[in-house]
Amino acid sequence: MVGVFVGFGLLIGTLFGFFGMGGSFLVTPALLVLGYPSTVAVGSGLAFVFGTSVIGALRHRDHGQVDYKLAAIMTAAMTAGIELGKSVVFFLEATGMADLVINVSYVGLLALVGLFTLRDAWTDESDDESGASLDLAERVQAIEIPPMVTFRGDVRVSGVIVAAIGLVIGVLSGFLGVGGGFLLMPAMMYGLGIPAAIAVGTDILQITISGAFGAFTYAQSGAVALPVVAFLLVGSALAARIGAGATNLVDEDEIKGYFAAMLLAGSLAVATNKLGNIYGIAALNTVSTVLIFGAAFLVSGAVVLAAVCRLRSNASSTWCRLTTS
């Protein structure tokens, strides 16, 4: 199991640095699949978020991909939301419904965000449908509730709206045991109109603070598996820098495509595991485990390969063409 967690940390570290997410959107469902209690899976996911985000935030800062004003507003709002979300988890655990509600919520949110992102990545820019996400950002930017704040990428949005989005994501973050990255990154890109690379870097900086707060609150209740978190961090320390560097080399639509693939795989894995437990089908639990680890391996490998192809300016080989299809 030590080897499994270290290896999984390597894969997640690459994905974390690339997508701007602490990896808990994979760690938490993976621990649920491995049979850990829901509160421990949630708390350990948040603890892992904090450890990986420190490494990635420094790397993205070096690339100039961090908006400090946006991170500050989101962090303050999400910190308040996380505390509320944590209270909901422990209330549900007392009623015996925590596992069911958290699993169903994971399946629904991962699938919804994944499908939306996949649709956007596959839609050609010249297609009329591609204006949907842009129109949403323009409508949000047109709402002028003081104070108005200007972010990197020449994006001007109401600070009240930014804080409200952060509060909602914070509640979901504390409830599901995620740093908020798989929700915050799409919210910044599609809801606020922030460029993808800046959304990734800013997301990681925010996760550093909110992840620390979330992990601390769960640790106080003894809901963090420290050995598991430690072995995951050993693997992710180096890989997070590799993933962060890849964001400078890979096309924005490719980032969205890989992101969607990971979310859909996570959704399917949690759903399969839950069905296996309900109906006592061991094969479904095996499929769930393969989906979680297999998707992390394939997507992280594709990210590294795509970056190498760009560095060599060679996109004609079969493997390089696969990473962009």
Side-chain angles (χ1 to χ4, degrees), residues 159 174 197 200 204 297:
V200 170
I204 291 181
F297 177 78

Side-chain angles (χ1 to χ4, degrees), residues 197-222:
I198 296 175
V200 170
T202 304
D203 192 9
I204 291 181
L205 179 61
Q206 173 275 321
I207 286 171
T208 303
I209 301 173
S210 63
F213 178 79
F216 176 73
T217 58
Y218 273 89
Q220 285 183 310
S221 304

